[in-house]
Amino acid sequence: MPDPVTLASSSAANPSSFVADAPTLFAIGLALSLLPTAQFLTRTILPRTASPTYKYLSIWFLYDALTHFLLEGSFLYHCFFSYKSLPAKTPDFPHPASIGLEVGRGFSGPFLNDATRRYGAWYSDQPLAKLWQEYAKADSRWGTADLTVISLELLTVFLAGPCATYCAYLIQKFHKQPSAMSGRVQARLWFLATMLSTGELYGGFMTFAPEWLSGSTCLDTSDPVFLWGYLVFANMIWVFVPLWVLWVASSEISRAFEGRNLGGKKKL
């Protein structure tokens, strides 16, 4: 495996281009396989009589959970457990914490208060690390232990992932509950769906806002695949779908209050 320090330095100086080799195709195929998996699971847990809206919601929540647990969970794993030890400081060798910082992209400062190591997916040969090494060609922060990204992903993996799973479970439960109890399940579903979708939108903004404000030094848009495939398409999914979920949730909540008012119950 090439030295990641050299690899990242070279990548910064000479923007890479998309190459459809075996590791790249594996990474893309792995990411794309989660959607049909979510579709299969939805067919398994929901009856055929379920409305298209609930089927699409179930697919989304399951796909969301799989992405957070498997893909982004693996990113966190490599940030904490995959690393490369750096040489000790000598008169002719700078302090390890300064290595790569002059490159301007591809490395953050010391992580976990350890200046003798570099953490991240670049320093692993595991299959899921290949996925993040590929995505890091477009956004180099995802190949290293970037503190902003790690902070957001901790919330995503440990809060958003379980929340999406529970929302899918509530949809399944709603279709099996007696009608007298379905209202409570739906109330819980739309409350959590609103929280989750709002969090997804906030997380997306906070992922890219620091880059935009600093001149996008870690983004490589020189290749159309990196720009439109990795940075735009792969991230805009978590903008448009959460907005749609919020619209559906708003409609359901409005309908519930309208029915409540028609029933003469206007006091809280």
Side-chain angles (χ1 to χ4, degrees), residues 71-83 111 118-133 142-145 150:
L71 302 189
E72 291 166 302
S74 71
F75 167 78
L76 285 182
Y77 171 85
H78 291 299
C79 285
F80 285 93
F81 300 107
S82 297
Y83 62 88
F111 180 56
R118 287 286 182 224
Y119 287 86
W122 278 122
Y123 311 108
S124 175
D125 287 324
Q126 295 183 17
L128 286 174
K130 300 294 184 183
L131 183 146
W132 292 113
Q133 290 169 13
W142 294 84
T144 64
I150 291 174

Side-chain angles (χ1 to χ4, degrees), residues 90-125:
T90 62
D92 60 340
F93 188 81
H95 192 280
S98 67
I99 295 179
L101 296 182
E102 73 281 356
V103 174
R105 57 181 284 186
F107 292 104
S108 58
F111 180 56
L112 298 178
N113 199 31
D114 189 347
T116 67
R117 293 176 176 178
R118 287 286 182 224
Y119 287 86
W122 278 122
Y123 311 108
S124 175
D125 287 324

Side-chain angles (χ1 to χ4, degrees), residues 22 30 86 97 120 124-125 129 131 145 148 156 174 207 213 215 218 243 260:
L30 180 63
L86 299 175
S124 175
D125 287 324
L131 183 146
T148 298
T156 300
F174 162 67
T207 298
L213 295 174
C218 292
L243 286 174
R260 182 174 182 270

Side-chain angles (χ1 to χ4, degrees), residues 42 46-60 171 175 190 244 248:
T42 293
L46 289 187
R48 293 184 178 180
T49 55
S51 69
T53 297
Y54 278 107
K55 289 180 180 178
Y56 293 143
L57 284 168
S58 177
I59 291 172
W60 166 248
I171 293 175
H175 286 85
W190 296 121
W244 171 72
V248 175

Side-chain angles (χ1 to χ4, degrees), residues 18-34 63 71 126-137 230:
F18 176 77
V19 178
D21 54 13
T24 299
L25 296 178
F26 169 79
I28 295 174
L30 180 63
L32 295 177
S33 69
L34 299 185
Y63 174 72
L71 302 189
Q126 295 183 17
L128 286 174
K130 300 294 184 183
L131 183 146
W132 292 113
Q133 290 169 13
E134 178 61 26
Y135 185 76
K137 295 177 183 177
Y230 295 1

